[in-house]
């Protein structure tokens, strides 16, 4: 099956397929003219990769699973820990933002002055987390991919 057929069957871009090949996740057979030919085993492997990427498993971990260096369960356990850490961080930022909103502080400068929110002293590292959240553009690294997103217009943290 050539790349175009795989794209249609799995609803995946040729760029993504070439990326998976570049990262060593798949190695489709190449015929004399250099065209990639995917067999059923390749298709099954791509489906597994797509599932793991859907749950944000890093490419490195996927490679280790496919190479039988680690078990799927081990990767899941590690991934759950990372997700929980991220959830805790986002919850902290949410709570801080709700606290700021509740105090109805009209100007950001009032928060910055003396590192205080109202009468409460706030640590600089805590303020930095809040200010980082409100940065217009943040860079997100997903495996080896890097993309810019606009957090404020999308209404979410990265």
């Amino acid at each position: 099956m050539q790349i175009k057929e795989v794209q249609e069957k799995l609803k995946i871009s040729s760029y993504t397929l070439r990326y998976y090949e570049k990262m060593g996740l798949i190695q489709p057979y190449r015929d004399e003219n250099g065209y990639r030919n995917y067999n059923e085993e390749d298709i099954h492997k791509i489906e597994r990769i797509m599932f793991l990427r859907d749950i944000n498993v890093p490419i490195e971990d996927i490679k280790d699973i496919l190479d039988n260096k680690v078990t799927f369960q081990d990767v899941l356990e590690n991934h759950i820990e990372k997700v929980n850490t991220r959830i805790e961080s986002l919850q902290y930022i949410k709570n801080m933002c709700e606290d700021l909103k509740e105090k109805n502080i009209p100007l950001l400068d009032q928060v910055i002055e003396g590192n205080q929110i109202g009468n409460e002293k706030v640590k600089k590292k805590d303020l930095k987390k809040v200010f980082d959240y409100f940065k217009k553009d943040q860079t997100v690294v997903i495996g080896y991919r890097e993309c810019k997103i606009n957090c404020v217009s999308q209404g979410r943290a990265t």
Side-chain angles (χ1 to χ4, degrees):
M1 192 180 300
Q2 291 189 344
I3 198 165
K4 186 122 180 118
E5 296 168 300
V6 175
Q7 280 181 262
E8 292 170 4
K9 180 176 182 169
L10 299 180
K11 308 288 187 254
I12 189 171
S13 72
S14 60
Y15 171 82
T16 301
L17 289 168
R18 287 190 294 272
Y19 174 73
Y20 290 163
E21 185 178 353
K22 178 182 173 186
M23 299 310 298
L25 300 176
I26 56 174
Q27 295 84 32
Y29 170 77
R30 296 252 186 170
D31 57 21
E32 303 86 45
N33 59 8
Y35 289 165
R36 293 170 177 85
N37 284 299
Y38 299 86
N39 60 31
E40 284 305 313
E41 185 180 325
D42 294 327
I43 300 300
H44 180 67
K45 189 181 276 192
I46 294 165
E47 289 172 329
R48 291 171 60 199
I49 295 166
M50 291 171 64
F51 170 77
L52 292 167
R53 292 302 295 143
D54 283 346
I55 60 172
N56 288 325
V57 174
I59 292 291
E60 303 83 16
D61 290 345
I62 294 172
K63 186 166 177 35
D64 288 345
I65 290 170
L66 296 175
D67 292 342
N68 294 315
K69 292 181 180 175
V70 295
T71 67
F72 178 55
Q73 291 300 316
D74 289 339
V75 169
L76 283 179
E77 189 175 312
N78 186 22
H79 191 56
I80 289 168
E81 288 177 27
K82 289 177 185 176
V83 169
N84 282 334
T85 300
R86 183 77 176 136
I87 289 169
E88 289 171 13
S89 175
L90 290 173
Q91 186 62 48
Y92 176 84
I93 290 170
K94 179 183 177 219
N95 292 342
M96 184 71 124
C97 290
E98 286 173 346
D99 191 41
L100 288 168
K101 184 179 178 196
E102 184 180 299
K103 291 185 184 339
N104 197 24
I105 299 171
L107 298 173
L108 186 58
D109 291 340
Q110 289 176 327
V111 175
I112 298 170
E113 280 181 25
N115 294 329
Q116 287 197 207
I117 299 176
N119 295 329
E120 296 176 40
K121 195 79 169 164
V122 179
K123 297 176 187 168
K124 279 193 176 190
K125 69 176 183 152
D126 293 339
L127 281 176
K128 182 179 178 341
K129 288 180 184 179
V130 174
F131 296 143
D132 286 347
Y133 172 80
F134 287 109
K135 282 183 183 174
K136 184 173 171 116
D137 288 318
Q138 290 189 348
T139 301
V140 178
V141 178
I142 305 170
Y144 288 101
R145 295 179 288 169
E146 189 174 288
C147 59
K148 289 275 189 187
I149 63 171
N150 187 321
C151 298
V152 176
S153 69
Q154 292 183 2
R156 62 185 174 147
T158 56

